Amino acid sequence: MIFLSIIYLLTSCDEPQIRSVTANNTKEQIVTADLKRDTVYKTNNLILIRLTSHVYQHISFLNTNSFGRVNCNGMLIVNDNQAIIFDTPTDDVSAEELIKYATDNLQSKIIAVIPTHFHEDCIGGIGAFEKHNIQSYASAKTKQKLAEKRNIYSARMKSFDDSLTLNIGDKKIFVNYFGEGHTKDNVVGYFPADNVLFGGCLIKETGASKGNLEDANTDAWPATVLNCKQHFTDAKIVIPGHGKSGGTELLDYTINLFR
């Protein structure tokens, strides 16, 4: 059973080029050349991978007509018993699991949830966060798209224009809009304390196809990612919207994919 669990994680959620793998009854530890990952939580709905002492990649799943069952990433940051989440899991059930893990296991109060664009893989679990009275933030562009495209409007959701800075304990997180790409409203999140960039669906994993282009601006996409790269020059870990996290090579891959 442990062996099968490890195989599943290697094929669906983690980097190739494995250096070593150790396992016990509760956790698989995966070490790569660039990044150490600890899978600390796994159910059929949600996977949590610890990337640094403060940052977790959360993975939930979306069933689509075009691409089948898709792994969807978000970012959880914890510091000083506070937590900030980028992108909700894909539905309220998986969102409840994430909220419970952050609250109970990590003993952290979730002070913000931030969808990086208006698609379901970023906002599908917002109902659970609102049920728990967790403050949501979205760009003005995203709020407009949510109302137009998804008929979602929340009076409690605070909006910002092109940038947002929030404190999480004694550290900060940044949210920035660099231009159109996957959608007209896509923003990214950055946690400078650990040099972690959450690119969301603006950024592709290495080897990925162009994916869903229904709301995309493919002409603007490369320049938008280049702007992001030039702004966050200290980034070391990059989490894409889908697939494997890595380094800044994901930015370069995305730029070249759409050139």
Side-chain angles (χ1 to χ4, degrees), residues 6-250:
I6 294 173
I7 293 298
Y8 171 81
L9 288 165
L10 295 185
T11 56
S12 63
C13 304
D14 251 295
E15 294 280 345
Q17 301 177 352
I18 302 300
R19 290 291 183 86
S20 63
V21 178
T22 61
N24 55 40
N25 289 333
T26 59
K27 184 189 300 183
E28 294 86 13
Q29 292 184 329
I30 300 174
V31 181
T32 70
D34 300 318
L35 194 60
K36 181 175 180 178
R37 290 177 173 82
D38 292 338
T39 300
V40 297
Y41 182 87
K42 178 179 174 288
T43 67
N44 290 332
N45 303 310
L46 184 72
I47 297 171
L48 278 167
I49 300 174
R50 185 172 56 206
L51 301 180
T52 74
S53 58
H54 300 101
V55 177
Y56 298 73
Q57 176 180 340
H58 69 77
I59 304 168
S60 55
F61 304 92
L62 188 66
N63 292 315
T64 69
N65 293 328
S66 300
F67 301 99
R69 191 170 192 251
V70 178
N71 295 10
C72 305
N73 296 331
M75 178 166 71
L76 164 66
I77 305 168
V78 293
N79 184 55
D80 289 347
N81 300 112
Q82 294 183 333
I84 292 177
I85 293 170
F86 283 87
D87 286 354
T88 78
T90 56
D91 54 41
D92 287 345
V93 173
S94 49
E96 286 285 359
E97 290 189 27
L98 179 58
I99 292 167
K100 181 175 175 58
Y101 186 88
T103 303
D104 295 347
N105 295 64
L106 301 179
Q107 297 292 298
S108 296
K109 179 183 178 181
I110 303 171
I111 60 172
V113 59
I114 306 165
T116 56
H117 65 282
F118 71 93
H119 285 168
E120 186 176 1
D121 50 358
C122 303
I123 199 75
I126 193 65
F129 289 90
E130 293 202 338
K131 174 185 171 184
H132 290 273
N133 296 312
I134 295 167
Q135 183 62 61
S136 56
Y137 297 81
S139 76
K141 296 180 182 67
T142 295
K143 284 195 72 171
Q144 181 181 357
K145 288 292 185 182
L146 285 171
E148 291 176 355
K149 296 273 193 173
R150 301 187 59 79
N151 198 28
I152 294 174
Y153 175 78
S154 172
R156 294 189 64 252
M157 184 179 284
K158 295 183 178 180
S159 65
F160 59 93
D161 291 326
D162 291 338
S163 64
L164 173 70
T165 302
L166 293 176
N167 293 320
I168 178 168
D170 63 349
K171 304 185 189 303
K172 294 183 181 296
I173 65 99
F174 299 100
V175 188
N176 291 87
Y177 176 75
F178 291 107
E180 298 181 11
H182 175 67
T183 58
K184 294 180 182 298
D185 64 318
N186 45 213
V187 299
V188 301
Y190 189 61
F191 183 60
D194 289 357
N195 306 111
V196 181
L197 173 68
F198 179 66
C201 293
L202 179 67
I203 306 303
K204 297 290 184 178
E205 70 167 327
T206 301
S209 67
K210 293 181 178 180
N212 176 19
L213 301 178
E214 181 179 354
D215 299 296
N217 183 338
T218 55
D219 292 333
W221 203 323
T224 299
V225 178
L226 182 60
N227 289 340
C228 177
K229 180 182 178 181
Q230 292 174 339
H231 188 84
F232 295 122
T233 56
D234 293 331
K236 292 184 172 59
I237 299 171
V238 179
I239 306 172
H242 305 277
K244 306 173 185 68
S245 55
T248 56
E249 72 278 357
L250 274 65

